Amino acid sequence: MLRTGKVLLIYTGGTIGMDINPKTGSLEPLDFHHLVARVPEFDTIATGIDVYQFTPPIDSSDMSPQMWEQIVKIINDGYEDYDGFVILHGTDTMAFTASALSFMLENLTKPVILTGSQLPIGQLRTDGKENLVTSIEIAAAHHEDGTPIVPEVCIYFNGSLLRGNRSTKINADGFNAFDSFNYPHLADAGINIVYHEEHILKPDYTKPMIPHYASDPNILVFTLFPGIQNNIVRNMLDIPEIKGIVMRSYGSGNAPQKPWLLNLLKEAADRGVDIINISQCAAGTVEMARYDTGYHLKNAGVISGYDGTVESAVAKLMYLHGNLKDSETIRYYLNQNLRGEITL
């Protein structure tokens, strides 16, 4: 068979590579070679494929910044040898990993496609085969001039190619597990793969890809709700190690007009804690000048998260605090669109 392109498949684990333990009846990870044995279509793919396997494969609930660092190293080590990279990953933390990799791989010029499945690849009705095969095709796809069609970190699932740092898991049971509410699909796969190139990032091919390995996990996510209590928020914000907070606010970025809440947020911001305002709504954007409640948050030092996701905001905070020390510089970059993660 004539091979076109070469892709590195990074198998971390997840449902796609699981099987039922005959003794317990629960799902457990398979070795990659057992996984491939259940995909006869693998031998007909017109793309050269090498494999890197996590040993042992992990459930994505156990994904960590250290493993993100490992994935970045794998990609960097093979960057010149492959046209693209496909990462098999569990769905529960896939959007976090996609967001983190988008920041850690600066000036990425090749596709990095994360995929997985809702049913193990050995089951009759699995969605894993199509997700895997199409992800490999997308990772190897290129223009006539040789440049890749999708040179960014993406999630491919159930016929949709999504920007990784715009994606969130929306369904625990259905095959349509992911969506990007505030950004259009990068491609849709039916009989043909239709790429929406006007939405795809255009990197500078004259510059090298720069890998970043450091991240600071001293980040907190908390959600506003009616009845939220002063002492609980105070204890949260007073944690000495905390570097950044993702605050899930109401609507277009609103919060209760309680003096104690605004004072606590301002005290934290004044001592260098970066607080990003992300809406609890799946779609829409934070506009802190729209209502008086949002305006007071802005005056307290809270930073708009615009139309970004919680996963992306967490990853961005971890990335910036892991690689920068100056508070003003970090806050500057938090207000910038670094990897297509927000719309300014």
Side-chain angles (χ1 to χ4, degrees), residues 89-108:
H89 195 292
T91 58
D92 286 345
T93 59
M94 187 183 292
F96 284 99
T97 296
S99 293
L101 294 180
S102 76
F103 294 112
M104 298 170 81
L105 298 168
E106 183 180 351
N107 196 47
L108 181 66

Side-chain angles (χ1 to χ4, degrees), residues 3 25 31 115 131 154 176 178 202 211 247 261 333:
R3 297 290 184 183
D31 178 87
T115 195
N131 286 346
C154 305
N176 58 327
F178 292 89
K202 307 295 189 293
M247 183 179 70
L261 178 59
Y333 283 120

Side-chain angles (χ1 to χ4, degrees), residues 11 50 56 61 89 91 116 189 215 221 228 246 280-281 283 329 334:
Y11 173 54
D50 288 338
S61 297
H89 195 292
T91 58
S215 60
V221 179
I228 193 167
V246 177
Q280 294 177 31
C281 300
T329 305
L334 285 171

Side-chain angles (χ1 to χ4, degrees), residues 91-160:
T91 58
D92 286 345
T93 59
M94 187 183 292
F96 284 99
T97 296
S99 293
L101 294 180
S102 76
F103 294 112
M104 298 170 81
L105 298 168
E106 183 180 351
N107 196 47
L108 181 66
T109 57
K110 296 185 179 183
V112 174
I113 314 297
L114 287 87
T115 195
S117 67
Q118 294 287 64
L119 285 174
I121 207 160
Q123 292 192 10
L124 186 61
R125 294 181 53 252
T126 184
D127 53 329
K129 290 183 181 180
E130 192 276 325
N131 286 346
L132 172 58
V133 170
T134 305
S135 293
I136 291 170
E137 182 174 344
I138 292 170
H142 53 80
H143 298 107
E144 290 185 3
D145 65 359
T147 58
I149 295 179
V150 192
E152 57 174 290
V153 179
C154 305
I155 289 177
Y156 177 78
F157 230 89
N158 192 44
S160 298

Side-chain angles (χ1 to χ4, degrees), residues 103 274-277 286 288 298 301-307 313 316-317 320 324 327-344:
F103 294 112
D274 296 308
I275 306 167
I276 298 183
N277 188 359
V286 165
M288 291 198 294
K298 185 176 181 180
V302 176
I303 301 165
S304 176
Y306 299 95
D307 57 351
K316 191 172 183 178
L317 281 168
L320 290 174
L324 298 169
S327 180
E328 282 191 24
T329 305
I330 290 172
R331 290 180 69 85
Y332 170 79
Y333 283 120
L334 285 171
N335 281 290
Q336 303 304 307
N337 177 24
L338 301 181
R339 310 282 194 271
E341 73 278 7
I342 53 176
T343 305
L344 297 177

Side-chain angles (χ1 to χ4, degrees), residues 71-85:
I71 294 171
V72 170
K73 187 176 188 308
I74 294 165
I75 291 173
N76 185 56
D77 288 348
Y79 199 71
E80 299 304 322
D81 299 324
Y82 297 97
D83 297 288
F85 303 84

